[in-house]
Amino acid sequence: LSDPSSKGTLKKASILPDEYLILCPVADTAQYKPFGRTLGLSPWPSLNNLSDQIVLKSFTNRTVDSVAYADTWYKNNVKKSGGWTLERIDPKAICTGKENWTAGEDARGGTPGQQNSVFRTGTGSEPLKLISAVLTDSITITLTFNRVVDSFTATHPHNYSLNNGAGTPVSASNDTGAQVILKYPAGIARGNTYKVTASNISDCAGSVISAPNNSAEFFYAQQIAKGDVLITEILFNPRPDGADFVEIYNNSNSRLDLSDLDLASVKGDSLISIKPISSAALILEPGAYFVLTTDPDNIRKEYRTESTFNSVKMASLPAFNDDAGVVVLVDNSSRIDQLNYNAAMHLKLIRDPEGVSLERSSFNRATNDPGNFRSAAASAGYATPGYRNSQFTVDLNSEQEVFLASPTFSPDNDGFEDFLEVRYQLSEPGWIANATVYTDRGIRIRKIANNLTLAAEGYLNWDGLNESEHIAPVGIYILYLEIFNERGQVKKYRRSFVLATKLN
């Protein structure tokens, strides 16, 4: 019996089938005899506390058994500090490393001369299975099996294959018993579903994995580009004991991974308070909404939600002030979308905006277009977390240069035509607009654009308030819009509409 620094020879003795024999220093023989058959050795291998290698050899120098142990095998800091034995779990298992050893569980600290307290044999009726494959970075895949695997078979790279041309890993390591880490020489291509297949892998009892239990799939999403994911709603001033939330929407045709995104704020022109949305893969399907918050249960309690309420519980959000702030979606320091919000964006009819979210009206308009974020409708409960916004408007096609989204509107915050929307589509940008609302008798009510530079396409909104910030009376009104450019061209438009209200 030896370690690298010393060797002791066993005296002539025998050991019967299924019998235990305690080996110890000669000087300690009397202390161990009460526990069972004991044989003293001199010299005695040192058995270092941190790690050592013990080898049992025959007189013909054939290795009968060996173990290279380490105190990390305890997996228990209290027992690791001393007084407890390491015990072999399955004496018939082919695994010889830490996967087949652990700290003893007997209250005395060990079980000399008798069956180990952690003894078990066999694998049970369930076959060896590859449970999951997780991409931890662009060149690393973590495989998890349903039980401990044999390190010898698990660490051969050629026992693994990956489809879509990725092939065989350059290395396979087995440091945690039931998990194997695969490394690939180059980054795995995005936008594909991958299938990992394991072959010739066995567990500690020698059971070899086989189909259909030897494969697992994972999806590696496309890189997120600007505009792929949009900020669609924010609650920055919650009710007492409420929680902030940010709603996002997959505006692309691809499945995207939210673990690629961070939520941040801005100071000056620099990103600050960058918060990862998810540490694990979290797929956002095309056309789907997701709510980011520290307390999804609170959002469910405070607002109406659908059965498919997609949310992620984040450890923390950036600080969203009640008066104004900035929320940014970030992918590798690239800004995917950014909303600059302030309390003045709320409908002026709302006396107390506490608990009222701001909702995006159009996916096709720029995020910070004036009027693209509005107070959520009262009829919807003042927020629509995880589903289509109450203030969402359908983009219309028209051959006219200037047209109204609807000939009527009712500024009552019920989520239906709360604003007058004046839409324009010009042959070129650079036109400058002045727009005024009059009564049908020509009395000026409100100027809604004053020397405003226009894009080629866009919107003008009127919230129904007059110059005194009061709701204008029900009736027929005229929009007078004049646009001009630096070449001296002038165009004038008149559009009539009705400011309506519900009848009792």
Side-chain angles (χ1 to χ4, degrees):
L1 185 71
S2 67
D3 70 359
S5 60
S6 57
K7 178 173 67 173
T9 302
L10 280 68
K11 295 179 181 179
K12 186 176 181 179
S14 63
I15 183 169
L16 298 174
D18 294 321
E19 184 181 19
Y20 295 93
L21 178 64
I22 303 169
L23 304 182
C24 66
V26 170
D28 298 332
T29 304
Q31 297 181 54
Y32 279 101
K33 278 186 175 180
F35 296 102
R37 289 192 61 215
T38 303
L39 183 63
L41 276 70
S42 181
W44 177 255
S46 57
L47 302 187
N48 300 327
N49 290 345
L50 297 179
S51 63
D52 212 339
Q53 183 177 30
I54 309 170
V55 183
L56 181 65
K57 288 189 176 184
S58 70
F59 285 106
T60 59
N61 207 37
R62 180 174 61 87
T63 297
V64 177
D65 199 11
S66 67
V67 59
Y69 69 84
D71 65 354
T72 56
W73 290 13
Y74 280 97
K75 309 176 191 74
N76 183 304
N77 288 333
V78 174
K79 295 181 178 181
K80 174 182 172 180
S81 63
W84 293 81
T85 63
L86 281 172
E87 294 186 344
R88 193 173 201 148
I89 299 169
D90 185 353
K92 297 183 182 300
I94 61 174
C95 299
T96 59
K98 67 180 180 180
E99 62 269 28
N100 199 28
W101 289 78
T102 191
E105 297 175 353
D106 191 286
R108 296 170 297 175
T111 53
Q114 67 185 75
Q115 180 175 289
N116 290 343
S117 62
V118 296
F119 176 87
R120 67 173 182 267
T121 59
T123 61
S125 58
E126 186 182 23
L128 180 62
K129 293 180 182 179
L130 176 56
I131 297 174
S132 66
V134 177
L135 188 72
T136 51
D137 60 49
S138 63
I139 61 169
T140 307
I141 302 171
T142 299
L143 305 182
T144 301
F145 295 83
N146 63 331
R147 57 175 168 269
V148 171
V149 292
D150 170 42
S151 293
F152 181 77
T153 58
T155 54
H156 281 285
H158 289 283
N159 285 343
Y160 306 94
S161 64
L162 187 62
N163 66 339
N164 294 324
T168 302
V170 292
S171 69
S173 58
N174 171 229
D175 297 328
T176 53
Q179 286 192 328
V180 176
I181 309 298
L182 306 182
K183 293 284 186 180
Y184 281 81
I188 296 169
R190 285 179 172 268
N192 295 317
T193 297
Y194 288 91
K195 183 177 182 179
V196 182
T197 303
S199 305
N200 304 317
I201 308 298
S202 61
D203 60 16
C204 286
S207 176
V208 179
I209 199 167
S210 60
N213 301 316
N214 66 336
S215 62
E217 293 185 349
F218 65 90
F219 175 68
Y220 192 19
Q222 292 278 14
Q223 186 80 34
I224 299 175
K226 186 174 182 179
D228 282 350
V229 180
L230 299 177
I231 300 165
T232 51
E233 187 172 0
I234 181 171
L235 178 66
F236 54 87
N237 184 9
R239 297 164 185 151
D241 301 322
D244 290 354
F245 76 79
V246 175
E247 181 192 75
I248 59 177
Y249 173 80
N250 185 347
N251 195 43
S252 75
N253 294 319
S254 302
R255 301 173 70 208
L256 302 175
D257 189 351
L258 292 184
S259 67
D260 290 334
L261 286 176
D262 297 320
L263 198 63
S265 190
V266 171
K267 185 175 182 179
D269 196 39
S270 300
L271 293 171
I272 61 169
S273 192
I274 300 173
K275 311 289 184 179
I277 291 176
S278 176
S279 57
L282 188 61
I283 301 302
L284 180 62
E285 300 290 344
Y289 296 86
F290 231 99
V291 174
L292 316 178
T293 181
T294 59
D295 195 346
D297 290 337
N298 177 270
I299 303 304
R300 288 190 188 95
K301 181 182 73 173
E302 294 283 331
Y303 299 100
R304 228 175 289 160
T305 58
E306 296 188 344
S307 57
T308 54
F309 178 62
N310 294 322
S311 65
V312 56
K313 184 176 182 179
M314 296 177 59
S316 62
L317 298 178
F320 297 135
N321 296 330
D322 291 350
D323 56 345
V326 181
V327 55
V328 191
L329 287 174
V330 184
D331 181 13
N332 291 327
S333 298
S334 176
R335 302 188 191 191
I336 304 303
D337 196 19
Q338 176 173 322
L339 169 65
N340 303 335
Y341 71 85
N342 62 75
M345 294 163 70
H346 277 297
L347 183 68
K348 292 178 175 60
L349 289 174
I350 297 177
R351 295 180 179 179
D352 183 5
E354 193 174 75
V356 182
S357 73
L358 287 176
E359 295 182 330
R360 187 180 194 127
S361 295
S362 171
F363 299 146
N364 295 327
R365 296 170 61 182
T367 301
N368 290 303
D369 253 9
N372 199 18
F373 272 79
R374 310 171 181 174
S375 302
S379 60
Y382 293 110
T384 53
Y387 58 100
R388 180 167 162 164
N389 292 341
S390 63
Q391 297 291 6
F392 183 81
T393 57
V394 178
D395 292 297
L396 305 174
N397 292 320
S398 174
E399 296 180 357
Q400 301 180 58
E401 284 190 322
V402 175
F403 61 99
L404 303 180
S406 172
T408 65
F409 82 111
S410 53
D412 51 13
N413 198 35
D414 66 350
F416 178 71
E417 296 181 350
D418 288 327
F419 289 77
L420 176 74
E421 288 198 357
V422 184
R423 307 190 180 193
Y424 59 86
Q425 45 191 24
L426 309 172
S427 59
E428 59 183 357
W431 290 85
I432 299 169
N434 289 298
T436 307
V437 175
Y438 294 92
T439 68
D440 58 348
R441 296 184 178 184
I443 300 172
R444 173 173 156 162
I445 296 296
R446 185 76 181 255
K447 188 154 194 173
I448 62 174
N450 184 30
N451 292 333
L452 178 68
T453 302
L454 304 179
E457 295 184 17
Y459 305 73
L460 297 176
N461 295 319
W462 182 42
D463 56 10
L465 300 184
N466 59 25
E467 301 286 4
S468 301
E469 301 289 325
H470 295 111
I471 286 287
V474 171
I476 299 172
Y477 291 84
I478 305 295
L479 169 75
Y480 176 70
L481 172 66
E482 179 183 273
I483 63 173
F484 61 93
N485 60 23
E486 60 183 6
R487 298 191 299 274
Q489 293 176 298
V490 179
K491 296 182 179 182
K492 300 177 182 180
Y493 307 89
R494 289 178 178 83
R495 300 288 183 266
S496 60
F497 61 92
V498 173
L499 190 160
T501 189
K502 292 188 178 75
L503 298 176
N504 294 329

